[in-house]
Amino acid sequence: MNWFTTPLGAGGAHRVTVPGCRKVLVIVPTVVAGTRLLDLLPLLDSDFRVQTYFTQPEPDVGTAQFLSAVGGLVIPWEMAVQHEFDLVLAASYRFVDRAPGHVLVLPHGASALKSRQRVRSAGRGAQPTHGLDRQLLMRGGKVPASVIALSHDHELEVLAESCPEALPAAVVAGDICLDRMRASLPFREHYRRALGVGPEETLVTISSTWTADSTFCQRPELYRELPRSVRTAAVLHPNIWAAHGAWQVRSWLADCDVIVIPPEEGWRATMIASDVVIGDHGSTTQYAAGVGARMLLATCPEVRHGSLAHVLREAVPMYTNDIAEAVVVENFAELISSRLDRSGAILRAAMYRLLGLPEPAHAVPISPVRRVR
């Protein structure tokens, strides 16, 4: 990207066809954050008053490829922090204290409260954490985020105890990822056809988060040993692809008769298409339960009591070579979100409030998720 030719560059003003736009910056440090934020951006569709920019704060090949595929206007982080933006979108608290504008922070998984008891990088001797901790939300004695999007009313109660200074920024907005999955349920057969799964075939999806506690590390035999009578799909956390590389991931699965779902998109359609999901403590497993999939667990480490992963561990059997033991966890969607099917409207209102613009008159778009390409 040539800095000079962007609308922000010194020589870019004369190249602009639509001048005077409010500026939105999307901070994408990882593919995980990027995929979450892509659910927000359709809320700005069709608005000629808004220009969206993307930035990658630190180098990462996979994230750069993701941004290239999105087709957005990408500007260097060093350039972004030299300008003021009307709205900054983030799905991580990293870099929020340096964000050049009013920031809306979206959870980058199911729930703003973590399932793990401790930060992974801090080791097992670290103090417990839940994801809405004071040290995470505050920088220099201040809360840098203008809007902290929460998924559930319970999270507001936790925030009031852990960091009351952040309460003015908190908005219980539900979960737009879950809402999109719920809107996609009528298209289940369409997704199954796109995966090459026939009407009479059984599709079992193995869901894995990252790190050594995950399905992919703890139960690698599952990708090889499921009954040949079923079709198998593999949904792997984007951090697995980022840390090991796409070539290595596919090499590890080379002798497995599985449909490998790409990390950018397709996992949601696959969960909806599945007859059974075998998962772990990660968000993809929780979202599958949230849309009523029949569930089994491959593994589940020590998790925070009362977390979504803890609820699944208590309710879902471990997989012991019989997919017939899979169960539906009733009303799990209500544990993820207390604003079911309303997230788009709440988030769009918050975004336009920060932009200082009236909302568009057209309805809030909550579109079905894309099929696997």
Side-chain angles (χ1 to χ4, degrees), residues 157-173:
E157 299 170 5
V158 174
L159 184 65
E161 182 176 342
S162 65
C163 187
E165 296 91 337
L167 281 174
V171 174
V172 182

Side-chain angles (χ1 to χ4, degrees), residues 136-179:
L136 181 67
L137 302 182
M138 297 191 71
R139 295 289 187 277
K142 298 181 179 179
V143 177
S146 298
V147 171
I148 298 172
L150 305 178
S151 303
H152 203 280
D153 290 323
H154 171 63
E155 297 168 4
L156 196 63
E157 299 170 5
V158 174
L159 184 65
E161 182 176 342
S162 65
C163 187
E165 296 91 337
L167 281 174
V171 174
V172 182
D175 189 309
I176 195 167
C177 174
L178 178 62
D179 286 356

Side-chain angles (χ1 to χ4, degrees), residues 33 56 64 103 122 146 165 190 194 224 255 264 279 286-287 308 350:
Q56 181 182 344
V103 188
S146 298
E165 296 91 337
H190 172 76
R224 296 173 176 84
D255 65 340
E264 301 83 9
Q286 294 158 23
Y287 282 122
L308 295 175

Side-chain angles (χ1 to χ4, degrees), residues 32 36 91 106-112 151 175 177 283 286-287 336:
V32 175
R36 297 293 295 189
L106 193 72
H108 68 264
S111 173
S151 303
D175 189 309
C177 174
S283 287
Q286 294 158 23
Y287 282 122
I336 298 176

Side-chain angles (χ1 to χ4, degrees), residues 324-336:
E325 295 178 348
V327 300
V328 173
V329 184
E330 299 292 343
N331 303 316
F332 195 75
E334 285 81 357
L335 298 181
I336 298 176

